[in-house]
Amino acid sequence: MKIDLEHLEYVYPHGHRALDGVNLTLEGDQPVALIGQNGAGKTTLAKHLNGILRPTKGRILIDGVDLATANTAQWARKVGYVFQNPDDQLFLDSVRKEFAFGPRQLGFDQDLIARRMEQVAGLVGLADRLDDHPFDLSPTEKKFCAIGSVLMMDTGTVVFDEPTCGQDKAGDDRLAAIIARLRGQGRLCITISHDMKFVARNFPRVVLMQHGRVLLDGSREEVFARDDVLEQAYVTPPPITRVARQIGLDGPVFTVSAFVDAAWRAKSGSRNLSLDTTRAKGVKQ
Amino acid sequence: MPGPASNGIPDSPLARMHPMAKIAGVCSLGLATLVWPDFTMGLGIVVILFVAAALARVLRPFTGVMFGFGIPITLMLLFIQGCYSPKNTKVILDLGFAELGLEGSLYAAKIVVTLLVFLGSFYLTNKTTYMGRLVAALTQIGVPSKIGYLILASLNVVPQMQRRIAVIEQSQHARGLETGGGLISRTRAFLPLLGPVVLSSLTDSQERGMTLETRGFGIRRVRQTSYLEVVWRRSDTVMTILFTVFLVLALVLGCLSRTGLVTFAIQWGGRA
């Protein structure tokens, strides 16, 4: 799937300019992370991807079709959107009904819904809670219930708004598995997140926003190498990336194993692993 | 954010007036209209309210409310009372299918202006008073702060629910729910959304209650202070006295005219 945003501008009714000329193409199956400080315009941008918000100026093309030609309910067939707060999304009296709601609206037949229910419930870890009331789920489970209810709709693109918020390690791992599964199925996953460790681990492409504009758009290596721009946008790279940078390892690293490899490479290359104290002191935490 | 809870109130003498003085005004004007024998005083007060609304820079919404309510209610009452009041003796207009009687019409006019005075003065008070100030003023005169909170919370709950409904609606659209189309399909789509809105408002208020407790809202035997200071100025005293005198005068004159001791310049064919 391909989503083109052309000169996108959005001004909220109370006058706040949330998007200020965004040009962006999202395509393929590479998961994309949208990062940036609060108020950068990430959620506003994401809400344009299925027409929840309509641009004040500019346009959005989904597989070449202007988004303005149909309403959100119709675009729901192509783009799934998981809201930041699951309480905004869940309204039925069982997880099962929540899961079935979207596909029913889209006219999926009963067999398909049942098959997908099994897969998705396993994926989001709610297989044995299908008959529970969503209000009885823990906040984390609620989030996965909301995610599951959107995954059920089998859309070509899935947008997650802050799925990492309030998640523990198990939750993060489950999310990572979901994102990997989407990629495996050739679906485009666009995720808003403030958790840079999670972003660096799971998203090959990163888009950095500030003040309604795209500051950086590229591979995670390219984006996390731009310390100057990241600092200007108040985004801190993952700790291990900063440590590697501080001691002068080549290129941004995102995992412990990559860090160790890079350190070995540096050592065997008989380069001076510059544990240079003056430099280390100068870098802000 | 629309609604009386917001602080986006244009500055005006009416906005600066003490909320209690305004409430005194609502009571005085409304009661005076009620006891006055005919509609003339009410009509005068309605005109004054329009001037006050212009001064308070809320003329446009005020006009909308007054006419939006006033026109249909006038037509309805004129039709019912004017044509079918048993008191009717003098016919002023023959409509063909019914006759419009003077007594009933006067009675209808009286009811309409009374309603309009109450509505208009209350609307102006509401439009020009930041609810926080009203509640601060209420607690100042000894209303328990818990009741004050109750008023504020219930006023806040409506815009809050509206915002929530908007977000929930968005999220249902994102899941393929069509809420457009005719009234019936809209209603059908809208009904399932009400459950979570009401439920989450309830859990919200429970949580808010708990946070209030943790911040010492329930402490007893302490004189609580308010962040909003509502000052009673001399002009408020003057206005309250004027309102009171006005009400007393209207009461006395109204009673006297009813007993026939005083007669007014305008003599209608019959008393409503």
Side-chain angles (χ1 to χ4, degrees):
Chain A
M1 246 183 96
K2 184 176 179 190
I3 303 176
D4 287 300
L5 311 176
E6 295 175 354
H7 314 292
L8 208 60
E9 282 181 29
Y10 185 77
V11 182
Y12 277 100
H14 50 78
H16 173 63
R17 181 175 282 272
L19 294 179
D20 194 8
V22 173
N23 288 299
L24 200 63
T25 299
L26 304 161
E27 62 180 327
D29 56 5
Q30 267 197 358
V32 183
L34 273 178
I35 62 171
Q37 69 192 117
N38 290 341
K42 306 182 296 290
T43 297
T44 309
L45 178 74
K47 280 192 174 170
H48 277 82
L49 299 179
N50 61 349
I52 295 174
L53 296 179
R54 301 286 166 150
T56 316
K57 248 188 190 173
R59 61 175 190 162
I60 301 137
L61 301 174
I62 296 185
D63 285 336
V65 182
D66 194 330
L67 190 115
T69 55
N71 65 20
T72 303
Q74 280 150 352
W75 284 117
R77 204 171 284 284
K78 293 212 153 200
V79 182
Y81 187 100
V82 182
F83 277 65
Q84 186 171 355
N85 180 1
D87 289 335
D88 291 340
Q89 201 179 314
L90 305 177
F91 68 106
L92 293 163
D93 57 17
S94 75
V95 176
R96 190 183 298 279
K97 286 185 189 166
E98 285 292 348
F99 278 15
F101 180 82
R104 280 227 177 100
Q105 298 298 320
L106 303 183
F108 287 19
D109 68 54
Q110 212 55 44
D111 281 351
L112 183 60
I113 294 179
R115 270 206 310 282
R116 286 202 61 76
M117 180 100 61
E118 202 178 321
Q119 292 166 1
V120 170
L123 191 62
V124 297
L126 292 174
D128 51 353
R129 314 250 359 217
L130 282 175
D131 294 311
D132 288 359
H133 197 295
F135 267 76
D136 294 330
L137 302 177
S138 72
T140 328
E141 288 169 327
K142 258 193 219 173
K143 207 137 193 171
F144 279 110
C145 179
I147 290 174
S149 70
V150 170
L151 291 180
M152 283 293 292
M153 291 157 66
D154 210 11
T155 50
T157 299
V158 184
V159 183
F160 294 125
D161 193 350
E162 297 262 15
T164 48
C165 181
Q167 299 282 13
D168 57 6
K169 167 108 176 43
D172 276 358
D173 289 348
R174 194 175 284 287
L175 269 175
I178 293 171
I179 292 165
R181 172 75 72 92
L182 288 171
R183 187 181 190 178
Q185 293 171 338
R187 295 172 206 283
L188 176 61
C189 169
I190 300 158
T191 302
I192 296 173
S193 181
H194 283 291
D195 183 345
M196 290 307 131
K197 285 190 283 183
F198 184 78
V199 167
R201 268 202 303 271
N202 298 294
F203 297 89
R205 181 176 169 193
V206 177
V207 174
L208 170 67
M209 293 187 68
Q210 192 183 32
H211 304 318
R213 294 200 191 97
V214 172
L215 284 191
L216 290 176
D217 172 17
S219 71
R220 60 186 148 198
E221 286 77 13
E222 285 163 359
V223 170
F224 283 117
R226 297 288 302 275
D227 279 344
D228 50 336
V229 186
L230 290 172
E231 198 178 323
Q232 177 201 331
Y234 300 100
V235 169
T236 318
I240 196 135
T241 316
R242 283 184 291 152
V243 172
R245 198 161 183 77
Q246 222 163 315
I247 62 172
L249 291 182
D250 277 343
V253 297
F254 302 116
T255 58
V256 174
S257 56
F259 180 89
V260 172
D261 287 347
W264 277 115
R265 270 202 311 279
K267 201 177 169 193
S268 60
S270 74
R271 277 187 31 203
N272 183 14
L273 197 69
S274 64
L275 283 166
D276 171 351
T277 46
T278 50
R279 216 180 128 183
K281 267 184 205 156
V283 180
K284 273 184 255 162
Q285 281 309 301
Chain B
M1 186 183 74
S6 73
N7 204 357
I9 291 162
D11 186 43
S12 65
L14 208 54
R16 284 189 295 258
M17 202 166 159
H18 195 281
M20 293 331 281
K22 282 190 248 190
I23 288 180
V26 172
C27 297
S28 149
L29 297 178
L31 288 176
T33 318
L34 204 62
V35 296
W36 198 251
D38 63 20
F39 69 90
T40 46
M41 184 160 79
L43 197 62
I45 294 176
V46 169
V47 172
I48 294 170
L49 285 176
F50 268 95
V51 176
L55 289 176
R57 287 189 276 171
V58 290
L59 187 58
R60 189 186 280 256
F62 182 78
T63 314
V65 167
M66 293 296 265
F67 282 102
F69 177 79
I71 292 173
I73 203 88
T74 309
L75 289 177
M76 202 172 79
L77 283 177
L78 258 188
F79 180 69
I80 298 171
Q81 295 291 340
C83 298
Y84 301 108
S85 172
K87 282 188 279 184
N88 282 343
T89 49
K90 196 172 172 187
V91 176
I92 48 172
L93 188 67
D94 194 347
L95 295 171
F97 62 93
E99 290 172 334
L100 193 68
L102 176 68
E103 290 79 4
S105 304
L106 283 174
Y107 182 66
K110 168 90 192 294
I111 298 179
V112 169
V113 291
T114 311
L115 286 175
L116 283 180
V117 167
F118 271 113
L119 174 79
S121 55
F122 191 75
Y123 182 79
L124 270 186
T125 304
N126 202 21
K127 259 305 201 205
T128 57
T129 311
Y130 171 48
M131 277 304 144
R133 246 171 78 90
L134 173 64
V135 170
L138 283 172
T139 39
Q140 224 175 41
I141 61 161
V143 174
S145 53
K146 283 192 179 161
I147 305 232
Y149 173 70
L150 215 64
I151 297 173
L152 265 189
S154 44
L155 283 169
N156 276 328
V157 99
V158 175
Q160 210 178 334
M161 276 172 118
Q162 280 172 339
R163 276 196 297 267
R164 231 193 143 74
I165 287 182
V167 178
I168 292 182
E169 222 178 342
Q170 282 182 353
S171 78
Q172 304 319 325
H173 288 165
R175 286 165 77 187
L177 181 71
E178 301 258 11
T179 48
L183 187 68
I184 294 171
S185 73
R186 266 170 189 274
T187 320
R188 267 185 51 200
F190 188 70
L191 282 178
L193 307 185
L194 282 178
V197 171
V198 173
L199 221 67
S200 63
S201 300
L202 287 178
T203 45
D204 273 3
S205 51
Q206 186 197 12
E207 256 173 46
R208 204 163 318 121
M210 289 195 286
T211 57
L212 277 174
E213 285 304 311
T214 59
R215 291 192 278 167
F217 189 69
I219 291 177
R220 284 176 198 186
R221 284 189 291 278
V222 169
R223 174 119 183 95
Q224 286 169 338
T225 52
S226 173
Y227 175 67
L228 275 168
E229 213 167 340
V230 191
V231 190
W232 181 273
R233 294 169 309 168
R234 189 175 297 156
S235 60
D236 294 316
T237 314
V238 173
M239 286 312 289
T240 312
I241 291 172
L242 282 178
F243 283 139
T244 317
V245 170
F246 178 70
L247 177 61
V248 171
L249 273 180
L251 265 172
V252 171
L253 285 174
C255 290
L256 286 179
S257 89
R258 270 171 210 268
T259 52
L261 288 171
V262 176
T263 44
F264 292 105
I266 309 168
Q267 285 295 320
W268 306 103
R271 281 270 165 248

